[in-house]
Amino acid sequence: MAIAVQARLIGTERVVERALAIYLAHLERAVEVPLGDMVDREIAADAARLSVVAAGESRVAEIMVDETVVCEQVIQAVWSLAEQGWTTTVVMPAGRMGEAHFALRGLPCRLQPWWEDGATVCFGSYEKP
């Protein structure tokens, strides 16, 4: 079955809000943190400002990539988070998943697409790059 997916250029604010709400619904505390505050190495300024939804209890860090950042800019952050013991998910607009698979192949992370269905932000299944 094919599903029409449209990821319009919006900020990731609504994506972050939806992810935080999902953690809350599962009774786990999660917070929004700038990616630059979570990594212990130099990363591109564009990537450093990205939001991360971090759930400390389960040690999950979800990097919310927007339309302005190329996937290669999060590579060092993924390695840094993995070395710190975080299970890292790179959350991408659905239309950019091909780019993400190509750029992040072999990294210790998983990918997750997002898209809008009317007023709702939806998430797809986890994928291995």
Side-chain angles (χ1 to χ4, degrees):
M1 175 169 95
I3 298 174
V5 174
Q6 180 181 17
R8 291 183 288 121
L9 181 58
I10 64 169
T12 56
E13 298 84 19
R14 292 190 45 222
V15 181
V16 169
E17 289 172 8
R18 178 78 172 123
L20 290 169
I22 290 169
Y23 278 103
L24 182 61
H26 289 99
L27 304 176
E28 181 168 2
R29 185 172 182 276
V31 296
E32 179 182 4
V33 181
L35 180 58
D37 291 354
M38 291 193 66
V39 298
D40 59 3
R41 57 181 74 177
E42 290 276 327
I43 61 173
D46 286 345
R49 67 166 175 71
L50 292 176
S51 291
V52 175
V53 172
E57 187 174 309
S58 60
R59 298 291 292 169
V60 172
E62 298 183 350
I63 303 170
M64 304 298 177
V65 177
D66 63 20
E67 293 287 348
T68 66
V69 174
V70 294
C71 291
E72 288 81 2
Q73 291 179 304
V74 300
I75 291 173
Q76 291 302 316
V78 168
W79 282 113
S80 175
L81 292 169
E83 290 167 0
Q84 295 175 52
W86 291 93
T87 298
T88 305
T89 303
V90 179
V91 183
M92 299 286 299
R96 295 186 63 198
M97 288 296 285
E99 172 194 346
H101 276 284
F102 181 78
L104 305 177
R105 179 165 296 151
L107 293 183
C109 67
R110 55 192 180 181
L111 304 175
Q112 185 176 35
W114 70 265
W115 64 92
E116 287 185 287
D117 183 8
T120 304
V121 173
C122 301
F123 296 101
S125 297
Y126 295 120
E127 301 178 19
K128 196 72 178 152

